[in-house]
Amino acid sequence: MEVAVVSPLVAPPPASWRDEAASLLRLSGPLVGSNLLQMAIAAVDVIFVARLGSRDLAAATLGAFMFNLAVFALIGLTGAAAPLIAAELGRRAHAVREVRRSFRMALWVGLFCSAPVMILLSQGEALLRLAGQDAEVSRLAGGFLWVILIGMPLAVGAGVMRTAAAALGRPGWTFLVTGLALALDILGNWAFIYGHLGAPAMGLDGSALANVLSFAVMTLAYAIILLCDPRLRKYRLLGYWWRLDWPRARDVLRLGLPIAATWTFEAGLFGGAAVLMGLIGIEEVAAHAIALNIAAFAFQLPFGIAQAATIRVGMAFGAADPQWIRRAGNVALVLGIGIMAATALIMWSIPDALIRIYLDPGRTDNEAVATLARRFLAVASIFQLADGAQAVAAGVLRGLQDTRFPMIIALFGYWAIGFGSSVWLGFFTPLAGVGVWWGLAAGLAMVAVLLAARWRARERLGLLPEAILARS
């Protein structure tokens, strides 16, 4: 029998907007850093594989896209643990037992759902051939997937433990563990791709194996942290790991499936934009990749704030404190939009300096790509505000355990408005590639406006805890 223990680890609600901002920054800072390091891991893989040749790079790009999209969706699914754990902390009563149940069932749901995804992606070569990809590239990508799929359950498990550590007020571990994974990924790529340190020269498959090694070490590191950290071990998160709790599993699926779908819709929009660029021209594809990579690095800032906002609003939701809910959500929105305003100014002011990280704009053979990338970044500098707003607005709504309708907003905004506008502006106006980017901006702006409106109407829509609505 599980013992009901009241948690002594929850701080009282912040007394002011400044206190809430300080709490949000303490929580979001390590999460932002961890997200940036995760981006660096992907960049390291590209740098090492690129030296093998264009076919290996193409195969790694396709294989990694399929794997990362699947893992991203699975981590979104298990990310339901964040608002559930935060709400239990806000309620305070029996938080140890309830937090453990949410963690355990998020872990089980993630591992169960990994199985069919792994079976599907194990047929990666056939799927890529059906999509019309080059036969040799498809074969290489299929082999890459066979190796890296070993790490999928490890990646999902590490993601759940990362979420729990952050929700329980120990986000600094996420930064340190991801930094360790980056170091191991660099070493593993160097050793397994080229045959150093006595390892066989595995080529492309060596990069996949390096990722599996990083996932394994991350999972082990998080498990040790959960067992040894004085604050986290009080929750005994790995205790009773074999017990199934169907009501809590349904809660995870109820909240998590819409989160996974929402994240897939957004990632799919940018993947679809890359396909459109391929229909326009080779230079457009290269410029799109550069501009999108820069924008993706900037996006990690509001994404980390959104992750922290889910926890802060979730705690206020559990405490049934309407003032804390309002303060936590609004502080997160202001901070997220403000930071993206700063990144927008940087993109607008020094695009050439950013592009120079990827290529030399002064070279004649790079001139066309650099010019297009500069134009794309000009559009990106404008939609940064919308991107930050939609990310944080989705995060604060997740804190209210509101995920289903935001998923519908995402589907409509990203695909009906965003992708539809990209097709029209890219192919039926002279804007071409720039039009595709304006379509992305339109989709992000629509989602941002609708999610922000839903946040503002939270009481009227009945999104607040029943205890608050009963008092209204």
Side-chain angles (χ1 to χ4, degrees):
M1 177 181 295
E2 296 190 56
V3 178
V5 182
V6 178
S7 172
L9 303 178
V10 184
S16 68
W17 291 82
R18 179 178 295 181
D19 291 341
E20 177 59 43
S23 296
L24 180 67
L25 287 171
R26 281 195 299 270
L27 182 56
S28 63
L31 295 176
V32 169
S34 176
N35 293 341
L36 290 172
L37 288 175
Q38 197 66 51
M39 290 286 295
I41 291 174
V44 163
D45 292 340
V46 171
I47 291 169
F48 277 101
V49 172
R51 300 170 75 181
L52 295 174
S54 58
R55 281 193 174 180
D56 289 273
L57 180 58
T61 300
L62 291 170
F65 173 76
M66 296 170 71
F67 177 83
N68 290 333
L69 182 61
V71 169
F72 193 54
L74 288 168
I75 290 178
L77 171 65
T78 60
L84 290 172
I85 290 174
E88 296 299 344
L89 294 176
R91 293 185 189 102
R92 296 171 179 255
H94 312 312
V96 168
R97 181 182 63 187
E98 298 304 325
V99 165
R100 183 166 58 244
R101 287 177 171 173
S102 295
F103 169 81
R104 183 171 67 237
M105 295 321 299
L107 189 60
W108 274 110
V109 166
L111 294 177
F112 276 128
C113 292
S114 294
V117 175
M118 292 173 67
I119 293 172
L120 176 64
L121 292 187
S122 69
Q123 304 303 309
E125 179 179 354
L127 293 172
L128 289 171
R129 284 176 176 270
L130 285 174
Q133 299 299 313
D134 176 81
E136 179 62 14
V137 170
S138 298
R139 185 187 68 79
L140 291 170
F144 176 89
L145 281 168
W146 266 100
V147 177
I148 200 171
L149 282 174
I150 299 170
M152 180 170 285
L154 297 170
V156 173
V160 177
M161 289 187 273
R162 176 187 189 272
T163 296
L168 294 172
R170 302 294 277 171
W173 286 121
T174 68
F175 180 76
L176 293 176
V177 172
T178 311
L180 174 62
L182 173 60
L184 286 172
D185 191 63
I186 294 171
L187 181 63
N189 272 284
W190 179 71
F192 297 133
I193 292 177
Y194 308 117
H196 296 299
L197 299 179
M202 300 174 62
L204 179 60
D205 291 348
S207 180
L209 184 59
N211 278 270
V212 173
L213 175 64
S214 296
F215 296 145
V217 171
M218 287 176 68
T219 304
L220 178 61
Y222 276 125
I224 293 172
I225 289 166
L226 295 184
L227 291 171
C228 298
D229 180 279
R231 184 168 187 170
L232 298 176
R233 69 186 180 194
K234 295 181 180 181
Y235 288 92
R236 301 189 297 277
L237 293 177
L238 298 179
Y240 304 100
W241 61 266
W242 59 87
R243 288 191 176 179
L244 291 178
D245 185 333
W246 294 113
R248 190 57 52 90
R250 283 194 292 271
D251 288 339
V252 171
L253 289 169
R254 173 178 57 84
L255 296 177
L257 285 173
I259 297 173
T262 298
W263 288 8
T264 303
F265 293 153
E266 183 174 7
L269 170 64
F270 286 96
V275 173
L276 295 181
M277 290 294 185
L279 298 175
I280 295 174
I282 296 174
E283 289 83 3
E284 282 79 3
V285 173
H288 175 77
I290 292 170
L292 185 59
N293 197 258
I294 294 170
F297 266 99
F299 177 73
Q300 302 313 307
L301 302 175
F303 186 52
I305 292 170
Q307 291 171 311
T310 296
I311 297 168
R312 297 298 301 171
V313 174
M315 292 175 67
F317 179 87
D321 185 332
Q323 295 303 317
W324 188 7
I325 290 173
R326 178 172 64 88
R327 186 183 300 131
N330 289 342
V331 164
L333 284 166
V334 169
L335 184 60
I337 295 172
I339 286 177
M340 290 308 268
T343 64
L345 182 61
I346 292 172
M347 288 184 188
W348 182 269
S349 303
I350 54 168
D352 287 341
L354 298 174
I355 295 169
R356 198 171 290 115
I357 297 172
Y358 300 86
L359 53 79
D360 180 4
R363 286 181 50 177
T364 303
D365 55 343
N366 288 336
E367 186 176 346
V369 174
T371 298
L372 285 169
R374 196 178 300 116
R375 292 174 181 169
F376 296 165
L377 282 178
V379 180
S381 67
I382 294 172
F383 77 50
Q384 288 294 290
L385 296 177
D387 206 11
Q390 65 86 22
V392 179
V396 299
L397 288 171
R398 283 196 293 273
L400 298 179
Q401 302 189 11
D402 178 37
T403 60
R404 187 181 305 172
F405 202 81
M407 174 191 68
I408 297 171
I409 290 175
L411 177 61
F412 169 72
Y414 292 143
W415 285 93
I417 303 299
F419 193 74
S421 297
S422 291
V423 171
W424 178 61
L425 293 172
F427 293 90
F428 298 96
T429 76
L431 292 173
V434 176
V436 172
W437 273 70
W438 277 117
L440 297 177
L444 291 168
M446 176 60 70
V447 173
V449 169
L450 293 178
L451 290 179
R454 187 166 178 82
W455 165 253
R456 287 179 60 87
R458 58 192 177 276
E459 183 173 0
R460 180 170 55 83
L461 295 174
L463 302 180
L464 297 182
E466 291 182 4
I468 297 176
L469 296 174
R471 297 196 300 262
S472 300

Short mmCIF file of all heavy atoms in Angstrom, two decimals, residues 195-248:
data_model
loop_
_atom_site.label_atom_id
_atom_site.label_comp_id
_atom_site.label_asym_id
_atom_site.label_seq_id
_atom_site.Cartn_x
_atom_site.Cartn_y
_atom_site.Cartn_z
N GLY A 195 36.18 5.52 -36.55
CA GLY A 195 36.98 4.42 -36.05
C GLY A 195 38.10 4.80 -35.12
O GLY A 195 39.18 4.20 -35.17
N HIS A 196 37.90 5.77 -34.25
CA HIS A 196 38.91 6.17 -33.27
C HIS A 196 38.69 5.43 -31.95
O HIS A 196 37.65 4.80 -31.73
CB HIS A 196 38.85 7.68 -33.04
CG HIS A 196 39.19 8.48 -34.26
ND1 HIS A 196 40.41 8.42 -34.89
CD2 HIS A 196 38.45 9.38 -34.97
CE1 HIS A 196 40.42 9.24 -35.93
NE2 HIS A 196 39.24 9.83 -36.00
N LEU A 197 39.67 5.51 -31.06
CA LEU A 197 39.62 4.91 -29.72
C LEU A 197 39.35 3.41 -29.78
O LEU A 197 38.74 2.82 -28.89
CB LEU A 197 38.54 5.59 -28.87
CG LEU A 197 38.72 7.09 -28.62
CD1 LEU A 197 37.55 7.62 -27.79
CD2 LEU A 197 40.04 7.36 -27.91
N GLY A 198 39.83 2.77 -30.84
CA GLY A 198 39.67 1.32 -30.97
C GLY A 198 38.32 0.87 -31.47
O GLY A 198 38.07 -0.33 -31.60
N ALA A 199 37.41 1.81 -31.73
CA ALA A 199 36.08 1.45 -32.24
C ALA A 199 36.14 1.20 -33.73
O ALA A 199 36.99 1.75 -34.43
CB ALA A 199 35.09 2.58 -31.94
N PRO A 200 35.25 0.37 -34.28
CA PRO A 200 35.21 0.17 -35.73
C PRO A 200 34.68 1.42 -36.43
O PRO A 200 33.87 2.16 -35.87
CB PRO A 200 34.24 -1.00 -35.89
CG PRO A 200 33.36 -0.93 -34.69
CD PRO A 200 34.23 -0.43 -33.57
N ALA A 201 35.15 1.66 -37.64
CA ALA A 201 34.66 2.79 -38.43
C ALA A 201 33.31 2.41 -39.02
O ALA A 201 33.22 1.66 -39.99
CB ALA A 201 35.65 3.15 -39.52
N MET A 202 32.22 2.94 -38.42
CA MET A 202 30.87 2.53 -38.80
C MET A 202 30.20 3.49 -39.77
O MET A 202 29.09 3.23 -40.23
CB MET A 202 30.01 2.40 -37.54
CG MET A 202 30.53 1.37 -36.55
SD MET A 202 29.57 1.36 -35.01
CE MET A 202 27.94 0.91 -35.60
N GLY A 203 30.83 4.61 -40.06
CA GLY A 203 30.22 5.57 -40.96
C GLY A 203 28.93 6.15 -40.38
O GLY A 203 28.86 6.49 -39.20
N LEU A 204 27.90 6.23 -41.22
CA LEU A 204 26.63 6.84 -40.82
C LEU A 204 26.01 6.15 -39.61
O LEU A 204 25.49 6.81 -38.69
CB LEU A 204 25.66 6.81 -42.00
CG LEU A 204 24.27 7.38 -41.77
CD1 LEU A 204 24.35 8.84 -41.36
CD2 LEU A 204 23.42 7.22 -43.02
N ASP A 205 26.09 4.83 -39.58
CA ASP A 205 25.51 4.10 -38.44
C ASP A 205 26.22 4.46 -37.13
O ASP A 205 25.63 4.35 -36.05
CB ASP A 205 25.60 2.59 -38.68
CG ASP A 205 24.67 2.13 -39.79
OD1 ASP A 205 23.80 2.93 -40.21
OD2 ASP A 205 24.82 0.98 -40.26
N GLY A 206 27.47 4.87 -37.22
CA GLY A 206 28.20 5.28 -36.03
C GLY A 206 27.60 6.52 -35.39
O GLY A 206 27.60 6.65 -34.15
N SER A 207 27.06 7.43 -36.20
CA SER A 207 26.39 8.61 -35.66
C SER A 207 25.13 8.21 -34.91
O SER A 207 24.83 8.74 -33.83
CB SER A 207 26.05 9.60 -36.78
OG SER A 207 25.41 10.75 -36.27
N ALA A 208 24.39 7.24 -35.46
CA ALA A 208 23.19 6.75 -34.78
C ALA A 208 23.57 6.10 -33.46
O ALA A 208 22.89 6.31 -32.43
CB ALA A 208 22.46 5.75 -35.68
N LEU A 209 24.66 5.33 -33.45
CA LEU A 209 25.09 4.67 -32.22
C LEU A 209 25.53 5.70 -31.17
O LEU A 209 25.28 5.51 -29.97
CB LEU A 209 26.23 3.70 -32.51
CG LEU A 209 26.73 2.87 -31.33
CD1 LEU A 209 25.61 2.03 -30.74
CD2 LEU A 209 27.89 1.97 -31.77
N ALA A 210 26.15 6.78 -31.61
CA ALA A 210 26.54 7.84 -30.68
C ALA A 210 25.32 8.44 -30.00
O ALA A 210 25.35 8.76 -28.80
CB ALA A 210 27.32 8.93 -31.43
N ASN A 211 24.24 8.59 -30.75
CA ASN A 211 23.00 9.11 -30.16
C ASN A 211 22.43 8.13 -29.14
O ASN A 211 21.96 8.54 -28.07
CB ASN A 211 21.98 9.38 -31.26
CG ASN A 211 22.18 10.72 -31.93
OD1 ASN A 211 21.62 11.73 -31.51
ND2 ASN A 211 22.99 10.74 -32.99
N VAL A 212 22.46 6.85 -29.46
CA VAL A 212 21.95 5.84 -28.52
C VAL A 212 22.75 5.88 -27.23
O VAL A 212 22.19 5.81 -26.13
CB VAL A 212 22.01 4.43 -29.15
CG1 VAL A 212 21.64 3.36 -28.12
CG2 VAL A 212 21.07 4.34 -30.35
N LEU A 213 24.07 6.01 -27.34
CA LEU A 213 24.92 6.10 -26.15
C LEU A 213 24.54 7.32 -25.31
O LEU A 213 24.45 7.23 -24.08
CB LEU A 213 26.39 6.19 -26.58
CG LEU A 213 27.41 6.41 -25.46
CD1 LEU A 213 27.42 5.23 -24.50
CD2 LEU A 213 28.81 6.64 -26.04
N SER A 214 24.29 8.45 -25.97
CA SER A 214 23.90 9.66 -25.24
C SER A 214 22.57 9.46 -24.52
O SER A 214 22.41 9.87 -23.36
CB SER A 214 23.81 10.84 -26.21
OG SER A 214 25.08 11.14 -26.76
N PHE A 215 21.61 8.84 -25.21
CA PHE A 215 20.31 8.59 -24.57
C PHE A 215 20.46 7.69 -23.35
O PHE A 215 19.83 7.91 -22.31
CB PHE A 215 19.34 7.92 -25.57
CG PHE A 215 18.99 8.76 -26.76
CD1 PHE A 215 18.78 8.17 -28.00
CD2 PHE A 215 18.87 10.13 -26.65
CE1 PHE A 215 18.45 8.93 -29.10
CE2 PHE A 215 18.55 10.91 -27.77
CZ PHE A 215 18.34 10.30 -28.99
N ALA A 216 21.31 6.65 -23.47
CA ALA A 216 21.49 5.71 -22.37
C ALA A 216 22.10 6.41 -21.15
O ALA A 216 21.65 6.20 -20.01
CB ALA A 216 22.37 4.55 -22.81
N VAL A 217 23.10 7.24 -21.40
CA VAL A 217 23.75 7.94 -20.29
C VAL A 217 22.81 8.96 -19.67
O VAL A 217 22.77 9.13 -18.44
CB VAL A 217 25.06 8.59 -20.78
CG1 VAL A 217 25.64 9.51 -19.70
CG2 VAL A 217 26.07 7.53 -21.17
N MET A 218 22.01 9.65 -20.49
CA MET A 218 21.03 10.58 -19.95
C MET A 218 20.03 9.88 -19.05
O MET A 218 19.73 10.36 -17.94
CB MET A 218 20.29 11.28 -21.10
CG MET A 218 21.09 12.31 -21.86
SD MET A 218 20.18 13.01 -23.26
CE MET A 218 18.91 13.95 -22.40
N THR A 219 19.53 8.73 -19.50
CA THR A 219 18.56 7.99 -18.70
C THR A 219 19.17 7.55 -17.38
O THR A 219 18.55 7.69 -16.31
CB THR A 219 18.06 6.76 -19.48
OG1 THR A 219 17.52 7.18 -20.73
CG2 THR A 219 16.99 6.01 -18.71
N LEU A 220 20.39 7.01 -17.44
CA LEU A 220 21.06 6.58 -16.22
C LEU A 220 21.32 7.75 -15.28
O LEU A 220 21.10 7.65 -14.07
CB LEU A 220 22.37 5.88 -16.58
CG LEU A 220 23.23 5.41 -15.40
CD1 LEU A 220 22.47 4.38 -14.56
CD2 LEU A 220 24.55 4.82 -15.91
N ALA A 221 21.75 8.87 -15.85
CA ALA A 221 22.05 10.05 -15.03
C ALA A 221 20.80 10.56 -14.32
O ALA A 221 20.83 10.87 -13.12
CB ALA A 221 22.66 11.15 -15.90
N TYR A 222 19.69 10.63 -15.06
CA TYR A 222 18.45 11.10 -14.44
C TYR A 222 17.98 10.13 -13.35
O TYR A 222 17.47 10.56 -12.30
CB TYR A 222 17.36 11.26 -15.48
CG TYR A 222 17.39 12.59 -16.21
CD1 TYR A 222 17.45 12.64 -17.60
CD2 TYR A 222 17.38 13.79 -15.51
CE1 TYR A 222 17.48 13.85 -18.27
CE2 TYR A 222 17.41 15.00 -16.17
CZ TYR A 222 17.47 15.02 -17.55
OH TYR A 222 17.51 16.23 -18.21
N ALA A 223 18.12 8.83 -13.59
CA ALA A 223 17.71 7.86 -12.57
C ALA A 223 18.52 8.03 -11.29
O ALA A 223 17.97 8.01 -10.18
CB ALA A 223 17.87 6.44 -13.12
N ILE A 224 19.82 8.25 -11.44
CA ILE A 224 20.67 8.48 -10.27
C ILE A 224 20.26 9.75 -9.55
O ILE A 224 20.19 9.81 -8.32
CB ILE A 224 22.16 8.53 -10.70
CG1 ILE A 224 22.61 7.16 -11.20
CG2 ILE A 224 23.04 9.00 -9.55
CD1 ILE A 224 23.99 7.16 -11.82
N ILE A 225 19.95 10.79 -10.32
CA ILE A 225 19.54 12.07 -9.73
C ILE A 225 18.24 11.91 -8.95
O ILE A 225 18.10 12.41 -7.82
CB ILE A 225 19.39 13.13 -10.84
CG1 ILE A 225 20.78 13.53 -11.37
CG2 ILE A 225 18.65 14.36 -10.33
CD1 ILE A 225 20.74 14.30 -12.67
N LEU A 226 17.27 11.21 -9.53
CA LEU A 226 15.99 11.02 -8.84
C LEU A 226 16.16 10.24 -7.54
O LEU A 226 15.42 10.45 -6.57
CB LEU A 226 15.00 10.29 -9.75
CG LEU A 226 14.55 11.02 -11.02
CD1 LEU A 226 13.50 10.19 -11.75
CD2 LEU A 226 14.02 12.40 -10.73
N LEU A 227 17.14 9.34 -7.52
CA LEU A 227 17.37 8.53 -6.33
C LEU A 227 18.22 9.24 -5.27
O LEU A 227 18.09 8.96 -4.08
CB LEU A 227 18.05 7.22 -6.72
CG LEU A 227 17.21 6.21 -7.51
CD1 LEU A 227 18.08 5.07 -8.01
CD2 LEU A 227 16.05 5.68 -6.67
N CYS A 228 19.07 10.17 -5.71
CA CYS A 228 20.07 10.73 -4.80
C CYS A 228 19.84 12.19 -4.44
O CYS A 228 20.30 12.64 -3.37
CB CYS A 228 21.47 10.57 -5.39
SG CYS A 228 21.97 8.86 -5.65
N ASP A 229 19.21 12.97 -5.28
CA ASP A 229 19.00 14.38 -4.97
C ASP A 229 18.11 14.49 -3.72
O ASP A 229 17.02 13.92 -3.68
CB ASP A 229 18.34 15.08 -6.15
CG ASP A 229 18.11 16.55 -5.90
OD1 ASP A 229 17.10 16.88 -5.23
OD2 ASP A 229 18.92 17.38 -6.33
N PRO A 230 18.54 15.22 -2.70
CA PRO A 230 17.77 15.28 -1.45
C PRO A 230 16.34 15.75 -1.63
O PRO A 230 15.44 15.29 -0.93
CB PRO A 230 18.58 16.28 -0.60
CG PRO A 230 19.95 16.23 -1.16
CD PRO A 230 19.80 15.99 -2.63
N ARG A 231 16.12 16.66 -2.57
CA ARG A 231 14.76 17.17 -2.78
C ARG A 231 13.90 16.19 -3.55
O ARG A 231 12.72 16.02 -3.26
CB ARG A 231 14.83 18.51 -3.51
CG ARG A 231 13.48 19.18 -3.69
CD ARG A 231 13.65 20.61 -4.13
NE ARG A 231 12.38 21.32 -4.16
CZ ARG A 231 12.26 22.62 -4.34
NH1 ARG A 231 13.35 23.35 -4.50
NH2 ARG A 231 11.08 23.20 -4.36
N LEU A 232 14.49 15.54 -4.55
CA LEU A 232 13.72 14.66 -5.42
C LEU A 232 13.47 13.29 -4.81
O LEU A 232 12.42 12.68 -5.05
CB LEU A 232 14.42 14.51 -6.77
CG LEU A 232 14.60 15.80 -7.58
CD1 LEU A 232 15.39 15.53 -8.85
CD2 LEU A 232 13.25 16.42 -7.91
N ARG A 233 14.43 12.77 -4.05
CA ARG A 233 14.27 11.42 -3.54
C ARG A 233 13.14 11.30 -2.53
O ARG A 233 12.62 10.18 -2.30
CB ARG A 233 15.58 10.93 -2.93
CG ARG A 233 15.99 11.60 -1.64
CD ARG A 233 17.36 11.13 -1.21
NE ARG A 233 17.79 11.76 0.03
CZ ARG A 233 19.04 11.72 0.47
NH1 ARG A 233 19.97 11.08 -0.23
NH2 ARG A 233 19.35 12.32 1.60
N LYS A 234 12.69 12.41 -1.94
CA LYS A 234 11.56 12.37 -1.00
C LYS A 234 10.27 11.92 -1.69
O LYS A 234 9.35 11.46 -1.03
CB LYS A 234 11.37 13.73 -0.35
CG LYS A 234 12.54 14.14 0.53
CD LYS A 234 12.31 15.49 1.18
CE LYS A 234 13.50 15.88 2.06
NZ LYS A 234 13.29 17.20 2.72
N TYR A 235 10.24 12.10 -3.02
CA TYR A 235 9.04 11.69 -3.76
C TYR A 235 9.07 10.22 -4.17
O TYR A 235 8.07 9.70 -4.66
CB TYR A 235 8.88 12.57 -5.00
CG TYR A 235 8.45 13.98 -4.67
CD1 TYR A 235 9.40 14.98 -4.48
CD2 TYR A 235 7.12 14.31 -4.53
CE1 TYR A 235 9.02 16.27 -4.15
CE2 TYR A 235 6.72 15.59 -4.20
CZ TYR A 235 7.68 16.57 -4.01
OH TYR A 235 7.30 17.84 -3.69
N ARG A 236 10.24 9.57 -4.02
CA ARG A 236 10.37 8.16 -4.34
C ARG A 236 9.73 7.83 -5.71
O ARG A 236 8.90 6.92 -5.84
CB ARG A 236 9.76 7.29 -3.24
CG ARG A 236 10.38 7.52 -1.87
CD ARG A 236 9.91 6.50 -0.84
NE ARG A 236 8.48 6.57 -0.59
CZ ARG A 236 7.90 7.44 0.25
NH1 ARG A 236 8.66 8.32 0.91
NH2 ARG A 236 6.61 7.44 0.45
N LEU A 237 10.16 8.59 -6.72
CA LEU A 237 9.52 8.50 -8.03
C LEU A 237 9.67 7.13 -8.68
O LEU A 237 8.82 6.72 -9.48
CB LEU A 237 10.08 9.58 -8.96
CG LEU A 237 9.74 11.02 -8.57
CD1 LEU A 237 10.40 12.00 -9.52
CD2 LEU A 237 8.23 11.25 -8.56
N LEU A 238 10.75 6.44 -8.39
CA LEU A 238 10.96 5.13 -8.99
C LEU A 238 10.39 4.00 -8.14
O LEU A 238 10.52 2.82 -8.49
CB LEU A 238 12.46 4.90 -9.23
CG LEU A 238 13.12 5.90 -10.19
CD1 LEU A 238 14.60 5.62 -10.34
CD2 LEU A 238 12.44 5.88 -11.55
N GLY A 239 9.72 4.35 -7.06
CA GLY A 239 9.07 3.34 -6.24
C GLY A 239 7.77 2.85 -6.88
O GLY A 239 7.10 3.59 -7.59
N TYR A 240 7.44 1.60 -6.63
CA TYR A 240 6.20 0.99 -7.17
C TYR A 240 6.12 1.14 -8.69
O TYR A 240 5.02 1.31 -9.24
CB TYR A 240 4.96 1.61 -6.52
CG TYR A 240 4.93 1.52 -5.02
CD1 TYR A 240 5.29 2.62 -4.24
CD2 TYR A 240 4.54 0.34 -4.38
CE1 TYR A 240 5.28 2.54 -2.85
CE2 TYR A 240 4.52 0.26 -3.00
CZ TYR A 240 4.89 1.35 -2.23
OH TYR A 240 4.87 1.26 -0.86
N TRP A 241 7.26 1.09 -9.38
CA TRP A 241 7.26 1.36 -10.82
C TRP A 241 6.43 0.36 -11.61
O TRP A 241 6.00 0.63 -12.72
CB TRP A 241 8.70 1.37 -11.33
CG TRP A 241 9.41 0.05 -11.14
CD1 TRP A 241 10.19 -0.31 -10.11
CD2 TRP A 241 9.37 -1.08 -12.03
NE1 TRP A 241 10.66 -1.61 -10.26
CE2 TRP A 241 10.17 -2.09 -11.45
CE3 TRP A 241 8.75 -1.34 -13.25
CZ2 TRP A 241 10.35 -3.33 -12.03
CZ3 TRP A 241 8.93 -2.58 -13.84
CH2 TRP A 241 9.73 -3.56 -13.24
N TRP A 242 6.18 -0.84 -11.03
CA TRP A 242 5.46 -1.89 -11.75
C TRP A 242 3.94 -1.72 -11.69
O TRP A 242 3.21 -2.42 -12.39
CB TRP A 242 5.83 -3.25 -11.15
CG TRP A 242 5.49 -3.36 -9.69
CD1 TRP A 242 4.31 -3.75 -9.14
CD2 TRP A 242 6.34 -3.02 -8.60
NE1 TRP A 242 4.36 -3.69 -7.77
CE2 TRP A 242 5.62 -3.25 -7.41
CE3 TRP A 242 7.66 -2.55 -8.49
CZ2 TRP A 242 6.15 -3.02 -6.15
CZ3 TRP A 242 8.19 -2.34 -7.23
CH2 TRP A 242 7.45 -2.58 -6.08
N ARG A 243 3.45 -0.81 -10.85
CA ARG A 243 2.00 -0.70 -10.66
C ARG A 243 1.35 0.14 -11.75
O ARG A 243 1.79 1.26 -12.03
CB ARG A 243 1.70 -0.07 -9.30
CG ARG A 243 1.98 -0.98 -8.13
CD ARG A 243 1.41 -0.38 -6.87
NE ARG A 243 1.59 -1.26 -5.73
CZ ARG A 243 1.19 -0.96 -4.50
NH1 ARG A 243 0.60 0.18 -4.26
NH2 ARG A 243 1.40 -1.82 -3.51
N LEU A 244 0.30 -0.39 -12.34
CA LEU A 244 -0.49 0.37 -13.31
C LEU A 244 -1.62 1.10 -12.58
O LEU A 244 -2.23 0.56 -11.66
CB LEU A 244 -1.06 -0.56 -14.38
CG LEU A 244 -0.05 -1.20 -15.34
CD1 LEU A 244 -0.77 -2.12 -16.31
CD2 LEU A 244 0.73 -0.13 -16.09
N ASP A 245 -1.89 2.31 -13.00
CA ASP A 245 -2.94 3.14 -12.41
C ASP A 245 -3.77 3.67 -13.58
O ASP A 245 -3.45 4.71 -14.15
CB ASP A 245 -2.30 4.27 -11.60
CG ASP A 245 -3.32 5.11 -10.85
OD1 ASP A 245 -4.47 5.19 -11.31
OD2 ASP A 245 -2.96 5.70 -9.82
N TRP A 246 -4.81 2.95 -13.94
CA TRP A 246 -5.55 3.29 -15.16
C TRP A 246 -6.19 4.67 -15.13
O TRP A 246 -6.14 5.39 -16.15
CB TRP A 246 -6.60 2.21 -15.45
CG TRP A 246 -6.00 0.89 -15.78
CD1 TRP A 246 -6.05 -0.25 -15.05
CD2 TRP A 246 -5.20 0.57 -16.92
NE1 TRP A 246 -5.36 -1.27 -15.66
CE2 TRP A 246 -4.82 -0.79 -16.81
CE3 TRP A 246 -4.76 1.30 -18.02
CZ2 TRP A 246 -4.03 -1.43 -17.77
CZ3 TRP A 246 -3.97 0.67 -18.98
CH2 TRP A 246 -3.62 -0.67 -18.84
N PRO A 247 -6.79 5.12 -14.02
CA PRO A 247 -7.34 6.47 -14.02
C PRO A 247 -6.28 7.53 -14.30
O PRO A 247 -6.52 8.48 -15.07
CB PRO A 247 -7.93 6.62 -12.61
CG PRO A 247 -8.24 5.23 -12.19
CD PRO A 247 -7.16 4.40 -12.76
N ARG A 248 -5.08 7.38 -13.72
CA ARG A 248 -4.05 8.37 -13.97
C ARG A 248 -3.48 8.23 -15.39
O ARG A 248 -3.13 9.23 -16.02
CB ARG A 248 -2.93 8.22 -12.93
CG ARG A 248 -1.91 9.36 -12.93
CD ARG A 248 -2.55 10.74 -12.72
NE ARG A 248 -3.42 10.78 -11.56
CZ ARG A 248 -3.02 11.10 -10.33
NH1 ARG A 248 -1.76 11.41 -10.12
NH2 ARG A 248 -3.88 11.13 -9.34
#
